[in-house]
Amino acid sequence: MLLGLTGGRLLPSPRRCLLHCRHIKSAATAASGVGDGVLSAFRSICGEEGVSLGEAVREQHGKDESVHRCRPPDVVVFPRCVEEVSALAKVCHKHRLPIIPFGTGTGLEGGVGAVKGGVCFSLRNMEQVLDLHPEDFDVTVEPGVTRKALNAYLRDTGLWFPVDPGADASLCGMAATSASGTNAVRYGTMRENVMNLEVVLADGSIVHTAGKGRRPRKTSAGYNLTNLFVGSEGTLGIITKTTLRLYGIPEAMVSAVCSFPSVQAAVDSTVQTLQAGVPIARIEFLDDVMIDACNRFSSLSYPVTPTLFLEFHGSEQSLQEQVKTAEDITQSNGGSDFQWARDTETRNRLWKARHDAWYAALALRPGCKAYSTDVCVPLSRLPQIIVETKEDLIENRLTGPIAGHVGDGNFHCLMVVDPNNPEEMHRVHLFTERLARRALAMDGTCTGEHGVGLGKRALLCEEMGPVGIQVMRSLKDTLDPNNLMNPGKILQREEP
Amino acid sequence: MSGRVLVGVKRVIDYAVKIRVKPDNTGVVTDGVKHSMNPFCEIAVEEAVKLKEKKLIKEVVAVSCGPQQSQETIRTALAMGADRGIHVDVSGKDYENLGPLQVSKILAALAKQEDAQLILLGKQAIDDDCNQTGQMTAALLDWPQGTFASEVSLEGDKINLVREIDGGLEHIKINTPAVITADLRLNTPRYATLPNIMDSLMNNETELHKPNHRTSLCVGLIPLFETVAPEDMQGGTDRSGAMLRHTVLQSGLGLHTRSLVVFSIGIGKNKTKLGTV
């Protein structure tokens, strides 16, 4: 198993030469996958510069930040408005060409790989922030607008969009994968914060999932189409606009770090803090392996034991209350003294360890790649699953520091693995399956925030059960009978 | 000392907006385009508010010169923690010709009027990149100046300043009253929170000043004659300063000796600023 290998490199061994040849062959046949008539139709819709057959461009649009190898599309188109998206989709529909929507390529599950070739719709030229209504706390954005760009735009309105998956992802892409982040415990995930979507379906028709331009804070009107498309990962339609719920920027923020003697103590503190009604904004767990990696990478000196990173948002008075309550709880669970910070610079220093976790994990074994698992279980089962997972890691001699959004019961093992060691790759693969099944056995899910993409289709079947999968398949067949929308993701193709 | 700090804030096109040249080439499109406070002015406001929080100064007054919409920029400054705002109303033709020289004269006059101890400005505006207002203001007032400040600390009636210069960092100590211009690494500006924004909308802390009334304002200088998008430029333009001066004088514009005109010439896709004539 070779990870992340993009073609075009001259490699010595025979097996790798074969891969190289396969790449050359695929480049030669790529253009023939899409006929000249279709290409000129594309060009007449989005202009000459809006259609690209270049190898580098196609490769760039065939991979994301996961470990899945690059699967380039046959052609990349760059529409500038929803009418162009619709026209392009109609052409693809007529010629039965697969359609793969592309935002920023920051996904973690291989969702943009063109497994059957086809047309990648790169939506980065649609980058307007439309319709901001500060009094109503909502804004509508196009797919090219990323999370950080939106928050920069909003900075002088006093509002922000708090869903923070780490990467500077496209907001419509975040809607497509139902992204979440470190703030979810207080502000929710995309499912709670998307109010309306404009979606182009496989046949080019444009649907507004809550009605055109509508943005009531709540509704009981008809089927919940908005949340049907949130998390559909491009398999039901192309999201071209999303209306988002905004929040006021907190008056003040306080961050804190607390070390615990055991995983159980750390998670118990989390549960008790939530039960005490503290509206904590971020509560992140790092296990001892992770803390050790962070200490080395960022030259810090946290005690090498399970640690919680906390952040509180609110007014000055409410912060005092929140911090006091949280401190009492952590002390009662054997936590060390709260190290806390109020001003921006110190807070950033405190959080640096958590933010650099990915790189710190990679630095543990230079030359290796990292893969993040992503399971989510009910809070009460979290201590058990983390303890069992750590035992599994030790038993199988795997490097897997753990970082988690424990407020949601979601944690990630950052598996650091040598891509040139197939035996280790195999062990990692089996480990991730065991982990997912462990989570499913505890009433949880195999993917808390990253999505199903390519790698978790079989696990989705186990999670949903046959009837659930059948309902999903029926919806897919209704909205996309020719299976043109991002084929090969979420649902496995039925064997005829 | 009065303990009062004047902070200049300029309303400019937001940094994230893609600038487009008007079809008649008389300037850039500003209608319907998002405007916000110049990022370096945000840093200056943040520094002033920090000094007030440390109780080293008593009052922060935000000043903006421009049309009606400049009041939004002042309100953002108020929401960030400024105490009062002064809006110097300049609109229409006067606003088109408003440049660093005029603004610095206004600021100098206001500084005397308000008995300011310190003037904090951004080092430059992102629309014209002049980097002149701070220096001119100091010259007009005959005050010391600390430009491109990356660290400011008050020590009695003197200021310790670290400046970012070409050779590295320069440490200077200047007397007050003084003019300081903020560089990028001075601080990270706070976001204005919603409650503070609502407060600033409700309070009417902003005075309106009309120029030629109490402040002396010199307007009516050479207008910008043409704005051209880079793609329209032909290659091979002579870049020597002497050639440039010759061209300008030949065009019979009759430069006022005290005025300054900034030239930019684009070669192909590269626009280079040649400085002043």
Side-chain angles (χ1 to χ4, degrees), chain B residues 103-157:
Chain B
V103 174
S104 56
K105 288 184 179 181
I106 295 172
L107 288 175
L110 280 173
K112 292 208 190 89
Q113 185 189 300
E114 297 284 333
D115 188 26
Q117 178 186 338
L118 195 58
I119 299 182
L120 265 166
L121 304 171
K123 70 171 179 179
Q124 66 196 62
I126 59 171
D127 52 4
D128 55 23
D129 280 334
C130 280
N131 177 16
Q132 296 169 4
T133 308
Q135 292 87 333
M136 286 180 178
T137 312
L140 288 167
L141 288 165
D142 199 25
W143 283 6
Q145 57 181 263
T147 52
F148 315 113
S150 66
E151 252 180 71
V152 171
S153 56
L154 266 55
E155 205 182 285
D157 59 351

Side-chain angles (χ1 to χ4, degrees), chain A residues 125-351:
Chain A
N125 287 337
M126 296 169 62
E127 49 172 6
Q128 290 198 287
V129 175
L130 315 156
D131 298 338
L132 167 65
H133 301 272
E135 338 71 57
D136 297 318
F137 290 78
D138 65 62
V139 66
T140 305
V141 298
E142 289 187 331
V145 179
T146 65
R147 172 180 73 83
K148 289 185 185 169
L150 178 62
N151 280 329
Y153 185 95
L154 294 172
R155 70 191 188 282
D156 44 10
T157 57
L159 300 172
W160 72 317
F161 185 66
V163 180
D164 173 9
D168 189 19
S170 147
L171 290 157
C172 292
M174 284 164 63
T177 55
S178 187
S180 163
T182 48
N183 278 324
V185 61
R186 175 153 167 171
Y187 297 103
T189 68
M190 289 305 281
R191 285 200 186 179
E192 289 83 50
N193 291 309
V194 174
M195 292 161 73
N196 197 350
L197 291 170
E198 178 187 77
V199 183
V200 174
L201 300 174
D203 61 359
S205 36
I206 303 174
V207 60
H208 292 91
T209 56
K212 188 172 165 100
R214 301 201 185 287
R215 47 193 182 84
R217 286 187 75 79
K218 58 185 194 184
T219 175
S220 319
Y223 299 145
N224 190 347
L225 294 180
T226 305
N227 274 359
L228 171 63
F229 287 96
V230 172
S232 60
E233 299 182 43
T235 56
L236 298 178
I238 306 161
I239 298 178
T240 52
K241 278 194 191 69
T242 166
T243 305
L244 300 165
R245 202 183 292 280
L246 301 171
Y247 295 78
I249 293 176
E251 266 185 62
M253 299 192 205
V254 168
S255 300
V257 185
C258 194
S259 309
F260 293 85
S262 66
V263 174
Q264 184 79 42
V267 184
D268 284 345
S269 303
T270 309
V271 178
Q272 287 162 21
T273 308
L274 290 168
Q275 286 172 337
V278 175
I280 195 156
R282 284 194 170 105
I283 184 158
E284 293 287 297
F285 169 83
L286 270 63
D287 77 340
D288 50 331
V289 180
M290 188 80 245
I291 284 282
D292 185 43
C294 292
N295 277 347
R296 288 177 213 224
F297 184 76
S298 310
S299 309
L300 303 164
S301 51
Y302 290 118
V304 182
T305 60
T307 308
L308 282 183
F309 284 75
L310 309 137
E311 189 167 280
F312 307 90
H313 294 173
S315 66
E316 299 285 350
Q317 287 135 314
S318 92
L319 280 181
Q320 280 177 7
E321 229 183 270
Q322 290 180 44
V323 171
K324 175 95 183 42
T325 313
E327 197 167 3
D328 288 342
I329 291 173
T330 56
Q331 303 278 34
S332 73
N333 281 301
S336 73
D337 286 328
F338 247 37
Q339 265 188 68
W340 57 279
R342 172 80 175 76
D343 60 286
T344 320
E345 283 86 11
T346 326
R347 267 194 292 119
N348 287 342
R349 252 206 311 274
L350 222 55
W351 274 91

Side-chain angles (χ1 to χ4, degrees), chain B residues 194-261:
Chain B
L194 206 49
N196 290 343
I197 291 180
M198 299 317 298
D199 277 343
S200 72
L201 275 172
M202 304 224 261
N203 296 336
N204 227 334
E205 301 277 7
T206 308
E207 294 165 41
L208 196 57
H209 282 227
K210 285 232 169 285
N212 290 331
H213 176 57
R214 289 197 244 169
T215 64
S216 64
L217 182 65
C218 175
V219 286
L221 292 187
I222 313 299
L224 269 182
F225 36 87
E226 209 186 356
T227 304
V228 194
E231 300 83 59
D232 298 346
M233 301 305 272
Q234 304 300 318
T237 311
D238 189 322
R239 288 209 248 178
S240 76
M243 181 66 182
L244 196 54
R245 218 170 285 124
H246 177 71
T247 316
V248 167
L249 291 171
Q250 259 207 328
S251 65
L253 286 171
L255 288 172
H256 191 291
T257 48
R258 279 202 297 155
S259 69
L260 288 146
V261 184

